[in-house]
Amino acid sequence: MRVLLVGGGAIGLLSAYSLAQAGAEVCLLDKGECGRESSWAGGGIVSPLYPWRYSSAVTALAHWSQDYYPGLGQRLFAETGIDPEVHETGLYWLDLDDEEEALAWAAREGRPLSPVAMDQVHAAVPPLGPGYARAIYMAGVANVRNPRLTRALREALLQMPNVSLRENCEVRGFIRDGGRILGVNTAEGDLLADQVVLAAGAWSGELLASLGLVLPVEPVKGQMILFKCAPDFLPAIVLAKGRYAIPRRDGHILVGSTLEHAGFDKTPTDEALESLKASAFELLPQLADAELVGHWAGLRPGSPEGIPFIGPVPGVDGLWLNCGHYRNGLVLAPASCQLLADLLLGREPVIDPQPYAPKGRLG
């Protein structure tokens, strides 16, 4: 089977990896460099920020992926020499308005979430700022170093004889024969395949519009800042008032993020920088003396309720979607891409595909 994948972010790369491992002949296309858009810009927490606020559809993908990530990281490191750094730290939520709902969700789902006394939190996370009254903690939550994850996936694909990678190759439209998609039209000419998978993140809706279909996926801008501290400065992820701090193993601390509806504009702003710095210094006052090494923005693929579109496009044979993961693309990627591969190859799906089916959800 020849498969064209449009979009080289974490979702496109991992979809290609899953399909190629199953023996498909895969061609992955990206309008720029693979992994340089939303997948590069995110924080990489291997959990939704507030998992209890999502539907069971998001929860199902998240739980499967969380269990899968450690093995994926090890496998990619062994294959490529690039370590995605799946770093298990746990996560503290501070002063939640809906703490009772969170704990009820955890009891229902069997997740290790529990209240922690603030003196214990300060003992476990010494740089945490004062003034917080309550905390809950989930053990086992990891973060992945997302730029390294996409680099590792790209390298793994380059090593596979049944995969071709075409970067800086923008898809302009689809090649149709009646109700069937035969391939895509690019700046470099037409490319044909048995199946085409659209995994272009925030740009997926624009591409599907060329077929007269309305895909409710839109860009939602998010800005982040990055500090450099000692490697043991922050031992866990901390989250308060909608902002989080994520520790990397080498002492880099990511703080994010904004939620902005600004079209496809990715320009970092001074206003967001000051807001993020204020959040960072409130959470971890010592960051005021740390080196600020980065500030950037990315475009999340916003979708209704954050439920991705995974499966065949109704009425258009040969076209599939794996997009619209909104704020959770990295945490949902393993399950989403496994599910896509299962459906496309006619295998037993790893989870119930119905909640993600495009049928009935497109305009």
Side-chain angles (χ1 to χ4, degrees):
M1 182 185 288
R2 295 174 304 155
V3 182
L4 274 173
L5 268 149
V6 181
I11 298 293
L13 288 163
L14 195 50
S15 295
Y17 186 69
S18 300
L19 289 164
Q21 282 188 316
E25 185 182 324
V26 176
C27 178
L28 180 67
L29 311 171
D30 195 275
K31 65 182 177 61
E33 295 176 45
C34 286
R36 293 296 300 178
E37 291 291 349
S38 181
S39 302
W40 180 89
I45 301 175
V46 186
S47 170
L49 286 184
Y50 304 96
W52 54 90
R53 297 179 187 173
Y54 285 95
S55 71
S56 58
V58 172
T59 299
L61 292 173
H63 287 181
W64 194 94
S65 297
Q66 285 165 327
D67 293 339
Y68 189 82
Y69 251 113
L72 175 64
Q74 292 164 10
R75 189 159 65 251
L76 288 171
F77 189 21
E79 289 177 12
T80 68
I82 301 168
D83 187 359
E85 291 188 19
V86 180
H87 181 32
E88 191 174 302
T89 63
L91 171 53
Y92 288 92
W93 287 267
L94 306 169
D95 290 351
L96 279 172
D97 292 333
D98 56 352
E99 185 176 304
E100 287 186 15
E101 289 89 336
L103 294 169
W105 169 88
R108 196 167 60 245
E109 296 289 338
R111 307 310 281 183
L113 181 67
S114 55
V116 186
M118 283 312 302
D119 59 344
Q120 291 179 262
V121 180
H122 284 286
V125 187
L128 183 68
Y132 298 104
R134 302 184 322 281
I136 58 175
Y137 174 72
M138 187 183 289
V141 176
N143 69 81
V144 61
R145 200 150 182 176
N146 34 305
R148 297 189 183 190
L149 173 69
T150 54
R151 273 175 46 215
L153 284 165
R154 181 182 181 277
E155 181 60 32
L157 291 174
L158 289 172
Q159 295 177 14
M160 302 176 87
N162 53 331
V163 176
S164 61
L165 207 58
R166 301 181 73 150
E167 296 177 304
N168 301 303
C169 181
E170 185 170 4
V171 171
R172 294 173 170 173
F174 298 96
I175 302 166
R176 299 184 69 163
D177 181 14
R180 180 161 187 84
I181 297 296
L182 302 179
V184 296
N185 174 255
T186 78
E188 299 173 13
D190 292 350
L191 295 171
L192 303 179
D194 301 313
Q195 309 289 337
V196 175
V197 179
L198 183 55
W203 290 264
S204 300
E206 292 207 322
L207 280 167
L208 209 58
S210 68
L211 296 175
L213 295 170
V214 178
L215 173 69
V217 172
E218 61 174 357
V220 182
K221 182 177 177 179
Q223 300 189 48
M224 307 272 291
I225 55 176
L226 181 69
F227 295 90
K228 184 66 171 73
C229 301
D232 58 353
F233 171 71
L234 182 63
I237 303 166
V238 289
L239 192 159
K241 300 180 182 176
R243 296 277 169 86
Y244 51 78
I246 306 168
R248 301 302 199 211
R249 283 184 180 151
D250 63 2
H252 280 100
I253 307 293
L254 280 160
V255 176
S257 72
T258 63
L259 275 173
E260 306 166 59
H261 293 268
F264 287 93
D265 175 20
K266 290 192 299 178
T267 310
T269 64
D270 291 340
E271 181 184 14
L273 175 62
E274 292 309 311
S275 174
L276 289 165
K277 283 165 62 177
S279 295
F281 302 158
E282 183 179 1
L283 259 179
L284 305 166
Q286 293 174 52
L287 289 181
D289 301 318
E291 181 188 3
L292 179 65
V293 294
H295 172 212
W296 62 86
L299 300 175
R300 308 174 187 89
S303 59
E305 297 182 69
I307 299 173
F309 296 82
I310 308 169
V313 175
V316 187
D317 290 345
L319 183 60
W320 301 72
L321 301 180
N322 193 3
C323 56
H325 294 75
Y326 196 18
R327 303 189 76 174
N328 296 311
L330 286 155
V331 60
L332 304 184
S336 297
C337 299
Q338 186 72 40
L339 177 59
L340 174 88
D342 290 343
L343 294 171
L344 202 149
L345 298 171
R347 303 186 304 210
E348 182 69 24
V350 67
I351 57 175
D352 177 12
Q354 193 279 325
Y356 323 100
K359 185 176 182 180
R361 300 174 64 204
L362 305 181

